[in-house]
Amino acid sequence: MNGACNLSIRPMTTILFTFIAAFLFALVATPLVKKVALQYGLVDEPSDRKVHELALPRIGGVVIFFAFLFPFTLFFLFNIQNTATELIVTDDHLTGFVVGAIIVFLVGLLDDIKKLSPAIKFGGQILAALAAYYWGFRIGIVSIPFTDGVSLGFLSLPITLFWFVLVINAINLIDGLDGLAAGICFFVSLAMLFVCSVNNHIFEALAFASLAGSLLGFLRYNFNPASIFMGDCGSYFLGYTLAALSIHGSIKGQFATAMLIPFIALGVPLIDTMWAPFRRFVLGRKMFRADNEHIHHRLIKMGYTQRRAVLMIYILTIILGVASITIVHTQNDTSALILFVLGIGLICTVRFLGISDFFTMRRITGWARDLTDEAGISHGRRSFLNHQLTISNSGDCNELWQAVCNSLKEMEFDCAEFSYFVPEPSTIIKNTKQNFTWQRHKNFDPGTLTHNCLLKLELPLHHFEKDKCLNFGTLLLIKDIHREQAGHYTLKRVEHLRRTMVSTLLKITPPF
């Protein structure tokens, strides 16, 4: 009986010792790393994308990395024997975790010291993920509510790599305000520490305890106003560690909750990261170029101070962490699904702060309309293409003009005039002007309308061929926009009409 009690108490004592040891190491080591960084100029300079105004040390991740390893080093140096450390020694996955952690940490550190290209950074992340995958950190089953889970088979490798890269870059991108990334990872570590402890995953519990302790010690200097940043070496290591431990901690867990726990707990940075490329695509920007439109940037633009913005995201992270813990305790598929939906809904509500200015129902409808028009699905586009085909098949100017008038009627112009320069063969080129006119309504008189109510377009019908410019005349279009607004695609279709007229006139006009 007493022996059984010892086995249950001693791992928890070891977890507490691990947390305190990592915390004290980070608390003492951070000022030392600050001095080294300042001495060698390893600082983060202010820029348009960054909110700090002074150059600050950017290799705080060195502290987090070594503070995380410190408690485990003590276990082996002093040959501390207990149930927890025995589990660490016998766990075959430890080698893969350490190898991947060293790779991703060194890649981040090199980037902090000397900027690396995106390809090298991405390659380093993939290499670390491959090492972890080789030693057993892999997503083999995807949990789906109301089922026993779906085996991924050959898809296990790409999905595992995607998970690692996603979490690593999520933590890296969210590291934009003092204490934001460190605080989020701290609360996520606490949530995962509790989950692993109650499920008797001692190795993962110790790792999360060490991570939480190192982050809490580092936050003493990283919270607003920060005196040091973690840099890429810190954010990469944190992302890798959370990705690896969340997978390993879920291997023996319940299918229905296995991957929902880390996904919900890491909800803020994950959704922000996945949303960023889509947001940039919609706005016509490069999808993977850094910008200042992440959730923390949006909160600052809305007038919140750095500290308040960070605290708001902390609260959201705590809520999501509690939700993930609740999932474990309910151990019920329906409850898991409901909490998952609520978590995503909460995240999307916050994300709405950053998309309400352009992701509206009116704009969504406009994008859908543009897509149908570009694809030739809409009736207006199909009808216009038919008129274009008729113009192209015209045999003379009269047929051409008739087809053009039908197209202008479809586009709801009120009147038009085509001044056609008919070339005549001669040793000296001379043109004879021929006018064609059209009105949609017989009583339409543009002279009686105010100037600012008329849309007037005068289009030159020119064709450039080598060093020679062929001038076929001009096309004048008039529309009363006071009575009827121009359509969404009027100007675009007018240009298509002009080009079709020029190509047709090339065919029907006698050679110069």
Side-chain angles (χ1 to χ4, degrees):
M1 183 79 101
N2 292 337
C5 290
N6 269 342
L7 288 177
S8 62
I9 292 173
R10 292 185 68 184
M12 297 307 299
T13 304
T14 307
I15 289 173
L16 181 60
F17 171 80
T18 302
F19 177 87
I20 294 174
F23 168 74
L24 292 176
F25 183 94
L27 204 62
V28 173
T30 303
L32 302 177
V33 173
K34 283 170 54 179
K35 290 181 180 179
V36 172
L38 291 172
Q39 181 179 351
Y40 290 96
L42 301 176
V43 295
D44 193 36
E45 299 289 348
S47 69
D48 294 338
R49 286 192 62 249
K50 298 171 183 177
V51 296
H52 62 278
E53 298 178 355
L54 299 174
L56 296 175
R58 64 166 181 258
I59 58 169
V62 173
V63 175
I64 299 173
F65 179 76
F66 285 103
F68 174 82
L69 296 177
F70 179 67
F72 304 104
T73 305
L74 292 179
F75 292 153
F76 292 104
L77 285 178
F78 294 99
N79 197 25
I80 299 175
Q81 298 292 329
N82 59 30
T83 304
T85 53
E86 288 174 7
L87 287 172
I88 294 175
V89 173
T90 58
D91 197 314
D92 296 333
H93 300 86
L94 180 61
T95 302
F97 174 79
V98 173
V99 170
I102 292 174
I103 291 173
V104 80
F105 169 73
L106 291 178
V107 170
L109 184 60
L110 287 174
D111 187 48
D112 289 329
I113 297 174
K114 183 179 180 180
K115 289 297 180 183
L116 302 178
S117 68
I120 295 178
K121 291 189 287 186
F122 185 73
Q125 296 171 15
I126 293 291
L127 184 61
L130 284 172
Y133 181 87
Y134 178 78
W135 270 284
F137 290 86
R138 59 189 64 174
I139 303 174
I141 296 176
V142 172
S143 52
I144 301 176
F146 312 110
T147 71
D148 290 334
V150 177
S151 178
L152 295 177
F154 70 92
L155 293 176
S156 174
L157 176 59
I159 291 177
T160 302
L161 295 183
F162 174 76
W163 172 251
F164 271 94
V165 173
L166 174 64
V167 179
I168 290 172
N169 286 283
I171 302 304
N172 181 253
L173 291 177
I174 204 69
D175 186 27
L177 296 180
D178 296 352
L180 182 55
I184 287 177
C185 293
F186 171 72
F187 291 116
V188 172
S189 297
L190 289 182
M192 294 301 295
L193 169 60
F194 179 85
V195 170
C196 293
S197 298
V198 297
N199 284 279
N200 204 33
H201 294 171
I202 303 302
F203 169 75
E204 296 80 10
L206 286 170
F208 279 119
S210 184
L211 191 64
S214 60
L215 286 168
L216 186 61
F218 179 71
L219 272 169
R220 161 65 180 81
Y221 307 95
N222 184 238
F223 193 71
N224 183 264
S227 59
I228 187 172
F229 296 142
M230 68 172 63
D232 285 349
C233 62
S235 61
Y236 283 13
F237 171 70
L238 288 175
Y240 168 85
T241 303
L242 291 175
L245 294 179
S246 62
I247 292 176
H248 195 234
S250 299
I251 287 176
K252 302 172 185 176
Q254 299 292 326
F255 281 154
T257 61
M259 290 310 297
L260 293 187
I261 297 168
F263 188 85
I264 292 178
L266 286 166
V268 175
L270 290 185
I271 298 300
D272 192 67
T273 301
M274 290 188 289
W275 171 253
F278 177 73
R279 180 191 67 235
R280 294 165 189 155
F281 172 78
V282 169
L283 294 175
R285 302 171 183 169
K286 291 186 176 180
M287 292 177 63
F288 298 103
R289 173 172 291 181
D291 59 24
N292 58 352
E293 295 295 329
H294 294 284
I295 182 172
H296 48 280
H297 293 124
R298 301 292 301 188
L299 290 172
I300 295 296
K301 290 178 181 179
M302 292 174 65
Y304 293 100
T305 63
Q306 275 200 62
R307 180 168 294 198
R308 179 161 293 187
V310 169
L311 290 175
M312 288 175 64
I313 300 177
Y314 279 2
I315 292 172
L316 180 57
T317 303
I318 293 171
I319 293 172
L320 296 176
V322 171
S324 65
I325 293 172
T326 306
I327 289 175
V328 175
H329 277 289
T330 57
Q331 294 185 352
N332 179 276
D333 285 346
T334 304
S335 300
L337 179 61
I338 293 173
L339 286 170
F340 178 70
V341 172
L342 288 176
I344 296 299
L346 191 59
I347 296 168
C348 291
T349 300
V350 176
R351 281 305 316 146
F352 187 77
L353 294 172
I355 63 176
S356 57
D357 52 349
F358 67 91
F359 203 62
T360 62
M361 185 57 66
R362 181 178 178 182
R363 287 182 180 259
I364 293 173
T365 305
W367 294 334
R369 184 173 58 241
D370 290 343
L371 287 174
T372 57
D373 193 74
E374 287 293 334
I377 300 173
S378 67
H379 176 269
R381 177 64 184 274
R382 287 184 282 113
S383 178
F384 178 73
L385 289 175
N386 182 52
H387 289 303
Q388 294 286 89
L389 183 61
T390 305
I391 294 171
S392 297
N393 293 331
S394 300
D396 55 41
C397 271
N398 290 320
E399 289 184 20
L400 168 68
W401 182 239
Q402 183 59 47
V404 169
C405 292
N406 291 335
S407 182
L408 293 174
K409 184 177 180 180
E410 183 81 19
M411 289 189 287
E412 299 179 336
F413 277 94
D414 291 303
C415 68
E417 180 179 338
F418 173 32
S419 299
Y420 177 42
F421 298 155
V422 185
E424 295 182 358
S426 173
T427 53
I428 300 175
I429 296 177
K430 58 181 179 178
N431 293 327
T432 300
K433 185 177 180 181
Q434 184 176 351
N435 289 327
F436 297 86
T437 59
W438 168 81
Q439 287 189 184
R440 185 155 61 117
H441 306 288
K442 292 183 179 180
N443 58 351
F444 179 79
D445 183 7
T448 61
L449 300 174
T450 57
H451 182 72
N452 58 4
C453 289
L454 292 178
L455 172 65
K456 290 186 177 182
L457 300 173
E458 187 172 4
L459 310 173
L461 303 176
H462 293 167
H463 175 73
F464 294 91
E465 185 175 328
K466 296 181 180 180
D467 297 332
K468 184 167 56 177
C469 174
L470 305 180
N471 181 15
F472 295 107
T474 59
L475 176 66
L476 176 65
L477 306 177
I478 298 177
K479 178 177 177 58
D480 179 9
I481 59 175
H482 178 73
R483 181 180 62 182
E484 196 172 44
Q485 292 292 326
H488 286 284
Y489 312 105
T490 297
L491 295 179
K492 184 176 181 179
R493 288 177 181 167
V494 163
E495 173 58 19
H496 283 299
L497 176 66
R498 185 193 71 81
R499 294 183 184 184
T500 306
M501 287 184 67
V502 170
S503 63
T504 306
L505 287 169
L506 279 171
K507 293 189 297 183
I508 65 177
T509 301
F512 282 81

